[in-house]
């Protein structure tokens, strides 16, 4: 009997000592050196399908069919209380550098659709569940930044997308919104009945954006007079390409208005680069990935009259958002691609193979949309998406146009309630 009693007391003493040691470690600085088992807390709202768990190094939330993970520093940094965030200016007031990198909430509780985090200093952060879904990494991963309709010639023609009238574009939000919706979905849009002058074209462009002044000036006005060291200033055919690939940030939108053409030919070629890239992704995903990772240089050099320029832009052919793999920019211009000296020898051949795959898709006849520009019809092109070119022409051909800042066009679209 004495033996069994001693064994019982030893067991009790052992468990008590173990509990005291764990408590001491939790209250000391040694807990970072000797991690403790995860403390899991689980609760569910009575009115919402919501569960959460408090892990040692992060907070896990399951809501709206999404499992999300939040770092505790992130949760403290994004607090929207009056002392941490200026809701009037939509700017953070909290000094992120002042947040303890090992901070953990003292308590967490859920009240209907709001989560409350109480921090060690007593500060309370509250989050609406829908806000967390919208702004979590997992939520953004499922979200498309800009909805699009990918097209080839047949798809675009069957859509029968109407042009917007000049007066409606200038004077009504409805006309402007319809134009921008077409532009965002397809990457091109037209305005009809524009007086064929540079002044009216400029007025049209300023309705949606600041005009981006470049080495070509603010508004450009050109004929085939060889006034610049660029093939565009000739009567030669131009293969499909995007413009200003030699800028570190290529121009976002290009505006074309043919003011006069006394001759033949000169049709404009349009190709949806994102449609072609999607085909590459479907057929050869490893080649798509290579084109999105290998950086290349594009270069523009000219020495004509007073124009002396040497521009270099660096970036991959395909640019994607890393969190959701959404393609947002294609930089494709065989004329202006510089010497490939940013790619190691054991990668360069695979890059050429991937480039050939993309080029084949871009050059498929069924992907080519041909448009005859004429006085009064202004074309807007998303230069980050749609490639353009032209067939050779005869006679006198006069064009004007400009580049627009992409940020301002998207800003105008958002102010009209469009997703951009």
């Amino acid at each position: 009997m004495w033996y069994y009693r001693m064994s019982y007391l030893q067991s009790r003493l052992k468990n008590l000592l173990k509990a005291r040691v764990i408590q001491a470690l939790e209250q000391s600085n040694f807990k970072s050196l000797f991690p403790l088992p995860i403390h899991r807390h689980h609760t569910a709202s009575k009115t919402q399908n919501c569960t959460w768990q408090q892990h040692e190094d992060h907070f896990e939330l399951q809501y709206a069919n999404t499992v999300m993970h939040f770092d505790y520093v992130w949760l403290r940094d994004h607090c929207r209380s009056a002392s941490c965030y200026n809701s009037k200016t939509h700017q953070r007031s909290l000094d992120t550098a002042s947040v303890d990198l090992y901070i953990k909430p003292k308590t967490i509780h859920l009240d209907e659709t709001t989560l409350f985090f109480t921090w060690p200093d007593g500060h309370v952060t509250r989050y609406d569940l829908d806000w967390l879904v919208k702004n979590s990494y997992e939520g953004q991963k499922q979200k498309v930044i800009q909805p699009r309709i990918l097209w080839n010639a047949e798809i675009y023609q069957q859509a029968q997308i109407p042009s917007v009238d000049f007066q409606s574009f200038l004077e009504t939000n409805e006309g402007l919104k319809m134009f921008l919706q077409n532009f965002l979905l397809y990457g091109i849009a037209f305005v009809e009945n524009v007086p064929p002058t540079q002044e009216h074209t400029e007025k049209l462009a300023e309705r949606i954006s600041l005009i981006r002044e470049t080495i070509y000036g603010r508004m450009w006005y050109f004929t085939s007079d060889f006034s610049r060291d660029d093939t565009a200033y000739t009567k030669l055919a131009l293969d499909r390409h995007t413009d200003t690939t030699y800028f570190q940030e290529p121009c976002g939108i290009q505006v074309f208005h043919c003011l006069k053409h006394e001759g033949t030919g000169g049709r404009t070629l349009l190709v949806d680069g994102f449609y072609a890239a999607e085909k590459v992704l479907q057929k050869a995903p490893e080649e798509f990935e290579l084109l999105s990772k290998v950086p290349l240089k594009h270069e523009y050099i000219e020495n004509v009259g007073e124009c002396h320029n040497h521009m270099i832009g660096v970036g991959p052919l395909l640019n994607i958002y890393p969190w959701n793999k959404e393609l947002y920019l294609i930089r494709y211009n065989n004329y202006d691609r510089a010497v490939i000296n940013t790619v190691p020898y054991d990668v360069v051949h695979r890059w050429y193979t991937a480039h050939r795959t993309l080029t084949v898709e871009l050059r498929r006849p069924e992907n080519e949309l041909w448009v005859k520009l004429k006085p009064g019809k202004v074309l807007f092109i998303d230069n980050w998406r749609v490639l353009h070119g032209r067939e050779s022409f005869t006679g006198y051909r006069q064009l004007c146009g400009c580049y627009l800042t992409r940020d301002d066009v998207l800003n105008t679209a958002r102010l009209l309630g469009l997703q951009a």
Side-chain angles (χ1 to χ4, degrees), residues 23 60 68 74 133 159 175 184 189 246 250 308 310 313 317 337 352:
Q23 183 181 19
E60 180 180 332
M68 296 157 278
W74 187 99
V133 172
L184 293 173
Y246 40 79
H308 304 282
H310 188 177
L317 259 64
R337 185 158 39 81
Y352 275 114

Side-chain angles (χ1 to χ4, degrees), residues 65-281:
N65 299 317
T66 305
V67 178
M68 296 157 278
H69 302 83
F70 299 94
D71 183 271
Y72 291 124
V73 178
W74 187 99
L75 288 168
R76 182 63 187 90
D77 180 47
H78 288 81
C79 179
R80 290 311 193 240
S81 67
S83 62
C84 298
Y85 186 78
N86 189 327
S87 58
K88 185 177 181 180
T89 64
H90 304 283
Q91 292 176 302
R92 180 181 283 103
S93 303
L94 174 68
D95 177 17
T96 302
S98 70
V99 179
D100 180 6
L101 291 176
Y102 301 98
I103 194 170
K104 293 180 179 63
K106 190 175 181 180
T107 62
I108 302 173
H109 78 272
L110 176 67
D111 182 10
E112 297 298 333
T113 61
T114 304
L115 271 166
F116 295 84
F117 296 84
T118 302
W119 304 103
D121 62 357
H123 184 84
V124 178
T125 295
R126 62 186 64 193
Y127 285 116
D128 182 81
L129 293 175
D130 289 330
W131 189 94
L132 287 173
V133 172
K134 178 182 177 182
N135 291 283
S136 67
Y137 172 80
E138 292 82 1
Q140 283 294 306
K141 195 173 182 179
Q142 300 171 19
K143 184 180 178 183
V144 173
I145 300 297
Q146 185 178 318
R148 299 182 177 94
I149 297 176
L150 305 184
W151 54 268
N152 58 16
E154 182 181 5
I155 293 172
Y156 186 84
Q157 290 164 348
Q158 288 184 351
Q160 296 184 332
I161 304 155
S163 299
V164 176
D165 180 73
F166 177 63
Q167 293 300 325
S168 176
F169 181 94
L170 285 183
E171 298 172 3
T172 72
N173 283 342
E174 291 77 14
L176 181 61
K177 185 174 182 178
M178 183 173 75
F179 167 86
L180 285 168
Q181 182 68 85
N182 293 339
F183 179 81
L184 293 173
L185 289 176
Y186 294 95
I188 56 174
F190 296 88
V191 180
E192 299 270 16
N193 304 318
V194 182
T197 68
Q198 180 175 318
E199 292 72 26
H200 284 90
T201 308
E202 182 176 3
K203 187 177 182 180
L204 191 74
E206 290 176 330
R207 170 76 162 122
I208 60 171
S209 172
L210 295 175
I211 294 175
R212 179 174 175 176
E213 187 160 358
T214 67
I215 57 175
Y216 302 105
R218 188 169 183 274
M219 291 290 298
W220 30 263
Y221 179 89
F222 69 93
T223 63
S224 52
D225 58 2
F226 297 92
S227 60
R228 304 297 294 263
D229 273 356
D230 194 300
T231 314
Y233 290 78
T234 71
K235 295 182 179 182
L236 301 174
L238 290 174
D239 193 23
R240 63 224 70 201
H241 64 279
T242 58
D243 268 19
T244 60
T245 52
Y246 40 79
F247 287 3
Q248 195 57 36
E249 181 184 290
C251 293
I253 288 88
Q254 186 167 22
V255 182
F256 278 124
H257 191 184
C258 181
L259 304 179
K260 182 184 294 187
H261 184 197
E262 299 169 347
T264 61
R267 287 184 305 162
T268 295
L269 169 63
L270 300 168
V271 178
D272 186 355
F274 287 5
Y275 179 89
E278 179 65 21
K279 294 299 182 183
V280 175
L281 179 60

Side-chain angles (χ1 to χ4, degrees), residues 16-33:
L16 180 61
L17 288 173
K18 182 178 179 180
R20 290 289 178 86
V21 168
I22 291 174
Q23 183 181 19
L25 285 172
E26 286 181 331
Q27 294 173 352
S28 72
N29 291 329
F30 288 98
K31 62 184 178 181
S32 60
L33 299 175

